[in-house]
Amino acid sequence: MTTWQPRPGELLLTRCLVTFATGVAPKVSGMRWFRDTERNDIQGALPGWPEGPTYTPRTENRGRARSAGRSGLIGLFAVVVGGLESLAGSGSTIKGPSGPVKTPPEDPENEVEDFPVMWAARDTLARTLPWQLDRGRRHASYQTKAFVTDQRIVLIGYPGGSGREAEVLWECGRRDIAAVERKAYSKDKADTVICFTDGSWCRLHVYTGEWFRYLTIPNELIPLDALTPGQRRTVNAMVAESGFAAPPVVSRRPSGNFLAEQLGPEDPPVGQRIAVIRLMGPDGEEVNPQPGDYGF
């Protein structure tokens, strides 16, 4: 097994599964596009990209019918589940199709009428993103992960799935990122838009909130030797309890609280945590979370 490691002196902050996002509005549900700044489709002009699926937005009537049909299916499922649960008694757990996203769109032009996941003029950074992020172009077992460090973002591909042989697909420096925005109008509120300093941007579906927390600018990391004695005790106890080899990372949150984190192994045994977290005050004491402490 080959795993990616940061360079000497580079601090790994988090890693997570990531793909290009997918539309959720009825007109563009299940679709994505790659656009230039004139809203032209550029997927055929991206160097080295294999042919992939092409999409046509549904008409308004088709979108409404699809939405109504889905709502009707969900309603029917609820009736059936209600009957089954009444037969099964308390304690039964039956899961069905999820409902539509209830959060209103923030950017209807790019979330309802169209759904670009790449917005890039010629020779801009977003155009260099790897095609492997597109689930419509890769093998079903292929996975892509983002590794976020204090210096850069690195995209790693796993042709045989996570924990297998890895290949470096792409990277960019933190200085190339102008802004990062979490998008609520998405499945599980897991979409993130990354705006690059050259004006291009991409929309990615991210499978963990730590990604957003460590891409938010500014992000104030605290050196371990700058911690108070009480904070050092808390961090040392966390490390001893976890048994993980990765160095702990401490950041000062917007509220003034301190968040200590430690990553577990990239491919943990079943049931093992992938990270440990402690939220603490200036003396290492446990504190209640405040808005923004976890980056959500």
Side-chain angles (χ1 to χ4, degrees):
M1 181 179 71
T2 300
T3 58
W4 182 85
Q5 296 294 329
R7 298 180 292 227
E10 183 178 22
L11 183 62
L12 176 62
L13 302 176
T14 191
R15 58 176 176 261
C16 56
L17 291 169
V18 60
T19 63
F20 282 125
T22 302
V24 294
K27 191 173 181 178
V28 298
S29 178
M31 305 179 190
R32 66 183 71 88
W33 286 269
F34 306 87
R35 304 291 195 195
D36 65 13
T37 54
E38 302 299 319
R39 210 171 282 277
N40 298 310
D41 190 327
I42 60 172
Q43 63 179 333
L46 298 171
W49 278 44
E51 186 175 350
T54 58
Y55 300 108
T56 301
R58 301 176 184 86
T59 63
E60 187 173 354
N61 288 338
R62 285 182 61 203
R64 286 177 179 173
R66 177 183 175 88
S67 179
R70 180 171 55 193
S71 298
L73 175 62
I74 293 168
L76 176 60
F77 187 87
V79 171
V80 173
V81 167
L84 290 173
E85 288 184 334
S86 67
L87 293 174
S90 60
S92 61
T93 302
I94 303 174
K95 296 182 179 180
S98 59
V101 176
K102 296 180 180 179
T103 303
E106 304 162 275
D107 183 9
E109 187 177 24
N110 292 315
E111 294 181 323
V112 176
E113 300 303 319
D114 191 12
F115 196 80
V117 295
M118 177 185 293
W119 187 268
R122 190 178 300 275
D123 298 324
T124 53
L125 188 55
R127 283 207 187 205
T128 67
L129 284 162
W131 62 265
Q132 289 90 341
L133 287 172
D134 186 358
R135 287 172 292 178
R137 285 179 163 80
R138 69 191 198 187
H139 191 272
S141 64
Y142 198 102
Q143 290 186 347
T144 40
K145 283 186 181 180
F147 288 70
V148 180
T149 79
D150 58 342
Q151 301 175 21
R152 56 186 171 146
I153 302 173
V154 182
L155 296 181
I156 305 294
Y158 298 84
S162 182
R164 305 291 182 85
E165 196 72 16
E167 54 185 358
V168 177
L169 302 175
W170 180 90
E171 68 174 80
C172 78
R174 299 290 294 260
R175 64 183 179 277
D176 295 319
I177 300 173
V180 181
E181 182 182 4
R182 194 96 179 251
K183 306 299 287 186
Y185 190 72
S186 60
K187 183 180 179 182
D188 302 323
K189 299 183 179 180
D191 285 7
T192 299
V193 170
I194 301 178
C195 300
F196 300 106
T197 53
D198 60 14
S200 63
W201 53 263
C202 63
R203 183 169 178 142
L204 304 176
H205 188 81
V206 183
Y207 294 80
T208 177
E210 285 79 6
W211 156 281
F212 181 77
R213 175 158 70 244
Y214 279 121
L215 283 183
T216 302
I217 301 172
N219 191 73
E220 186 181 0
L221 300 179
I222 307 299
L224 298 181
D225 58 9
L227 299 178
T228 66
Q231 290 175 333
R232 283 197 293 271
R233 285 192 295 270
T234 297
V235 172
N236 289 340
M238 178 185 75
V239 172
E241 178 186 339
S242 73
F244 296 156
V249 176
V250 179
S251 61
R252 192 194 313 270
R253 311 313 302 156
S255 66
N257 291 333
F258 295 80
L259 189 67
E261 301 177 80
Q262 188 185 23
L263 281 175
E266 183 181 347
D267 191 29
V270 175
Q272 181 171 314
R273 290 176 293 180
I274 61 174
V276 291
I277 297 177
R278 296 288 187 276
L279 187 63
M280 59 185 179
D283 294 320
E285 73 278 16
E286 183 179 353
V287 294
N288 293 323
Q290 302 299 316
D293 278 353
Y294 292 114
F296 304 134

